[in-house]
Amino acid sequence: MKLGVVGLPNVGKSTLFNAITNAGAQAENYPFCTIEPNTGVVLVPDPRLNVLAEMYHPKKVTPTTIEFVDIAGLVKGASRGEGLGNKFLSHIREVDAIVHVVRCFDDDNIIHVDGSVDPARDIETINLELIFADMETVQKRKEKAEKSFRGGDKKAGAEAELADRLYNHLESGKPARTLECTDDEKQIMNSWFLLTTKPVIYAANIAEDDLGKDDSQNEYVNQVRKTAEAENAEVIVISAAIEQDIASMSPDEKTEFLEELGIGESGLDRLITASYRLLGLISFLTAGEDECRAWTIVKGTKAPQAAGKIHTDFEKGFIRAEIVPFDTLAELGSMAACREKGLVRSEGKDYVMKDGDITLFRFNV
């Protein structure tokens, strides 16, 4: 999973990204990896792996990971190439979802690019750049479809009609993801690689002193929530400055610090959870003396395709999946105890994987 972090200058985007990459550097089992100067990979927290590690004492514990990309060059006019506009647009096309950092704090020492703090305006500035870029793409698709339709391709007529409807939708300032359309139309839109079809998480960046307080009283945060509600987007409230402090702490220090703040888990952890929810992702687990590992799949994935995440041979030669729910294994304490009670199920090719399935794939190639 790859998330693109976007935001106007001086909203806390770089601070949050630095916190994310510092968090990656703390990973003991999966070292922080800088693929490019603006990309970082961090672990997805999964307490179930800790339980499995205590049970199996494996040589290796491997959580699943998430990749964050710092999308630079996003300013007013980016869709026309201002700033690093073209590079920014190409990077954002490659991500699965967008984390849009929005400034929700006052600080006279940090100048806002537009002279004042206004989350609704800031969100609109960035959204319009994405919409303008998509309008250009959709117009080209429409012209191409109309030409094909005149040449006798009847299917192209439906594509041209969709492009026309979508163009008007975008022109009214609405992202493509809010257009009501059929599943077939969604497939067509997905083939256009539009920017505004991507799911969005708004990260409302509040002041350090406001963290732990009732954020429903924060007018800036309420502006972000109102916008997100209209777009069916997610909102998390964070303090990028606090996240940077947390990133340099040991696990025990982090837990104690979060308890003192009264927030339970870090913004990064909540961001990852929100990303999974937004993208419809779940994790299944494999466990043994060699390795305990989490694997990310899309909700609704069937057993053979899940097996293919481990190795293509597992999918090609799939025979069955032996599965026990994590909660059952944790309660009984061993796979042997689960087998004794007949709680290890044998599932075939049509089985739809569930979050937390402890799985052993049987295959023959």
Side-chain angles (χ1 to χ4, degrees):
M1 177 166 55
K2 186 185 285 191
L3 301 182
V5 184
V6 305
L8 291 172
N10 294 340
V11 298
K13 178 175 74 78
S14 296
T15 303
L16 178 62
F17 186 77
N18 289 340
I20 289 168
T21 53
N22 283 341
Q26 298 300 313
E28 294 173 8
N29 298 302
Y30 191 100
F32 166 68
C33 165
T34 301
I35 299 169
E36 290 181 3
N38 62 339
T39 304
V41 177
V42 296
L43 305 177
V44 173
D46 193 334
R48 296 173 298 195
L49 283 174
N50 299 333
V51 176
L52 294 176
E54 286 292 320
M55 198 178 293
Y56 285 91
H57 304 289
K59 296 172 186 172
K60 190 162 78 165
V61 177
T62 310
T64 189
T65 60
I66 188 167
E67 188 175 329
F68 287 90
V69 183
D70 187 11
I71 309 286
L74 214 170
V75 294
K76 191 177 289 187
S79 59
R80 301 187 304 274
E82 296 291 332
L84 299 174
N86 294 330
K87 187 176 181 182
F88 140 69
L89 293 174
S90 66
H91 281 167
I92 215 167
R93 288 189 199 282
E94 296 169 4
V95 303
D96 299 304
I98 297 167
V99 179
H100 185 160
V101 184
V102 186
R103 179 170 168 174
C104 293
F105 64 89
D106 291 308
D107 188 334
D108 292 339
N109 295 316
I110 303 176
I111 298 170
H112 192 286
V113 67
D114 287 322
S116 62
V117 177
D118 185 337
R121 179 200 60 212
D122 291 356
I123 290 171
E124 184 181 46
T125 297
I126 285 185
N127 283 353
L128 284 176
E129 293 307 318
L130 302 182
I131 285 169
F132 291 151
D134 279 352
M135 286 173 68
E136 187 177 340
T137 300
V138 171
Q139 182 62 31
K140 289 177 181 175
R141 290 287 182 171
K142 179 186 172 184
E143 291 168 1
K144 184 179 178 182
E146 286 175 339
K147 185 177 180 181
S148 297
F149 183 62
R150 288 193 297 270
D153 183 352
K154 292 182 180 180
K155 287 183 180 179
E159 190 168 334
E161 189 277 328
L162 172 62
D164 189 55
R165 187 155 50 93
L166 178 55
Y167 188 91
N168 291 332
H169 183 79
L170 291 166
E171 197 171 34
S172 69
K174 297 173 184 174
R177 62 181 172 276
T178 63
L179 180 73
E180 288 189 18
C181 54
T182 65
D183 289 342
D184 288 342
E185 288 175 332
K186 282 179 183 175
Q187 279 194 336
I188 293 171
M189 282 170 56
N190 288 339
S191 72
W192 295 346
F193 300 104
L194 301 173
L195 303 175
T196 63
T197 55
K198 295 185 184 296
V200 172
I201 299 170
Y202 288 107
N205 184 20
I206 62 174
E208 296 175 57
D209 294 342
D210 290 338
L211 197 63
K213 296 179 182 177
D214 181 6
D215 54 56
S216 67
Q217 303 301 311
N218 187 316
E219 186 51 40
Y220 293 149
V221 173
N222 288 337
Q223 284 186 40
V224 177
R225 286 206 170 102
K226 185 177 179 181
T227 300
E229 191 176 335
E231 298 178 6
N232 299 320
E234 292 260 356
V235 177
I236 64 163
V237 179
I238 61 161
S239 169
I242 292 290
E243 290 302 309
Q244 200 160 26
D245 291 340
I246 291 172
S248 60
M249 295 178 182
S250 69
D252 289 341
E253 288 173 331
K254 174 182 169 181
T255 301
E256 186 179 340
F257 183 65
L258 292 173
E259 285 176 357
E260 286 176 7
L261 289 173
I263 57 175
E265 59 181 348
S266 71
L268 177 56
D269 290 350
R270 284 184 286 115
L271 177 57
I272 291 171
T273 301
S275 304
Y276 267 63
R277 186 167 58 245
L278 192 67
L279 293 170
L281 302 175
I282 60 172
S283 294
F284 72 91
L285 305 146
T286 53
E289 292 181 0
D290 284 335
E291 184 179 35
C292 291
R293 181 164 182 166
W295 304 84
T296 298
I297 54 174
V298 176
K299 194 180 293 183
T301 298
K302 292 186 177 180
Q305 287 69 51
K309 289 283 288 184
I310 299 174
H311 198 286
T312 52
D313 284 350
F314 283 31
E315 182 176 357
K316 288 175 186 173
F318 179 87
I319 299 172
R320 68 181 183 275
E322 295 178 5
I323 290 173
V324 61
F326 169 79
D327 289 342
T328 302
L329 178 61
E331 182 184 342
L332 296 182
S334 72
M335 190 63 80
C338 292
R339 288 189 190 281
E340 272 182 33
K341 292 186 177 289
L343 297 174
V344 179
R345 307 190 315 270
S346 181
E347 301 287 0
K349 292 182 178 180
D350 291 329
Y351 176 70
V352 177
M353 300 292 291
K354 294 179 177 59
D355 187 55
D357 277 348
I358 310 294
T359 311
L360 174 64
F361 292 109
R362 300 291 186 183
F363 69 103
N364 182 34
V365 177

